[in-house]
Amino acid sequence: MARKVINRPRACVRGLDVDGINTCKGVALRPRGRVREGEKLLCTWREACKAADYVLEHFGDKSRDRGIWIWYCRRIGLDVFLDIVDEVISSARQGELRWPVRALQRHLQEALPRKGGRL
């Protein structure tokens, strides 16, 4: 029974090969928090780890921010997460953003699926 990998082509384009061994060094094999009942995760833990590392290459504090980027990636999906990250990175390179991490956080919050008007 083959397992379907979500968002595989987009991840490969960005160089986020998630099929390697030990891709998430220093991170627990499963998330610390529990998934709420009825909450759907849109990408694998390994994909989210690689995407978080991609964000941290450009900005952020690895010891503090990695977990939140993984959390967002799993809930909004790898493609949406990477599209937002690329947009913020591009704007930051062009000097359009004063605080790129704040902008990234705001865009990720806006992309979260809302249930009944609340998170």
Side-chain angles (χ1 to χ4, degrees):
M1 189 172 187
R3 193 177 104 190
K4 182 179 177 185
V5 178
I6 300 172
N7 301 327
R8 181 72 178 139
R10 178 69 62 110
C12 288
V13 170
R14 289 187 170 90
L16 300 174
D17 182 17
V18 295
D19 290 331
I21 298 172
N22 197 15
T23 56
C24 299
K25 297 176 185 165
V27 174
L29 294 177
R30 65 181 109 137
R32 290 184 185 138
R34 293 183 180 193
V35 176
R36 294 180 187 146
E37 187 175 322
E39 186 175 24
K40 185 177 179 183
L41 299 179
L42 301 176
C43 72
T44 66
W45 178 254
R46 186 174 287 174
E47 289 171 331
C49 286
K50 296 301 279 186
D53 289 341
Y54 176 70
V55 173
L56 292 169
E57 288 175 14
H58 299 282
F59 41 75
D61 179 7
K62 197 170 228 176
S63 63
R64 190 187 76 198
D65 296 337
R66 190 167 196 251
I68 193 68
W69 304 142
I70 291 170
W71 187 90
Y72 274 113
C73 185
R74 295 204 71 202
R75 279 147 184 89
I76 65 174
L78 186 62
D79 278 343
V80 174
F81 181 82
L82 291 175
D83 286 342
I84 292 170
V85 169
D86 286 340
E87 179 182 333
V88 171
I89 289 170
S90 176
S91 296
R93 284 184 181 157
Q94 296 174 18
E96 297 172 353
L97 298 174
R98 191 170 184 179
W99 294 290
V101 177
R102 287 184 188 178
L104 176 60
Q105 184 80 17
R106 186 183 70 248
H107 288 305
L108 292 173
Q109 286 175 354
E110 291 170 356
L112 279 174
R114 302 214 180 237
K115 294 181 182 175
R118 298 178 64 197
L119 289 176

